[in-house]
Amino acid sequence: MVRRFDARALALLLFTVTLAAPLRGQQAEVESAVRATLDAWSAGDYQGFVDAYHPEARGFFLDGGDLIRAFSLDALEATAEAGFRAEVTLRDLDVAVYGTTSVAVGYIEGQLVLPGGITLQGPWRYSETRVRTDGAWRIVQFHLSKRGM
């Protein structure tokens, strides 16, 4: 009887580990994608930044304004030419994967320098939802807001 129980427990453990391994791999992919997106933003690689977004992405930015529907590469580059810089880092990233959908949350620290020299200082709360499409994890929803102290 003891051996029969041990075999079932071992089978259950192996089944659980086998299911969890692909999810850990996907979680690492998403974590890498989130970091690459924010690194592209900080580096001024606006093509790389825009490529991370699904064409129908939408979300809210820290200005408290209206819903943003997608990003324009031309507008981002024009803003950069006018003086915009993102000098940010990501901390406490937490990612959950649900099949072909992921949810990531974390904090962005640093500063955003706007045209005219206005500086917005973090930290900010950040969340995003990605879907796996065309072999990549693309952002479909995002939210960036000031963190209360």
Side-chain angles (χ1 to χ4, degrees):
M1 184 71 156
V2 171
R3 285 190 178 153
R4 180 182 231 175
F5 175 76
D6 289 341
R8 287 183 184 165
L10 180 60
L12 180 60
L13 177 65
L14 289 175
F15 180 72
T16 303
V17 169
T18 302
L19 287 178
L23 290 178
R24 283 193 303 272
Q26 288 181 324
Q27 183 176 356
E29 284 179 17
V30 174
E31 288 173 0
S32 179
V34 172
R35 292 183 190 287
T37 301
L38 293 173
D39 288 348
W41 192 34
S42 289
D45 174 11
Y46 299 115
Q47 182 67 59
F49 180 75
V50 170
D51 287 348
Y53 287 81
H54 187 279
E56 297 176 20
R58 59 190 181 170
F60 295 101
F61 196 60
L62 59 91
D63 62 357
D66 293 336
L67 182 68
I68 297 171
R69 296 183 186 273
F71 286 98
S72 161
L73 178 59
D74 292 337
L76 287 169
E77 289 175 341
T79 302
E81 288 175 15
F84 174 83
R85 289 187 324 277
E87 300 167 351
V88 296
T89 58
L90 179 65
R91 73 172 173 84
D92 297 335
L93 178 61
D94 184 26
V95 172
V97 177
Y98 307 96
T100 58
T101 303
S102 71
V103 177
V105 296
Y107 298 99
I108 295 178
E109 295 182 329
Q111 66 181 8
L112 301 176
V113 179
L114 305 179
I118 298 169
T119 301
L120 303 176
Q121 194 69 39
W124 299 285
R125 295 173 295 190
Y126 179 70
S127 66
E128 66 175 40
T129 304
R130 291 183 185 239
V131 295
R132 184 147 178 91
T133 182
D134 299 326
W137 289 97
R138 305 257 186 248
I139 299 167
V140 293
Q141 176 280 328
F142 60 94
H143 184 101
L144 183 65
S145 60
K146 185 73 175 163
R147 180 178 182 196
M149 294 296 160

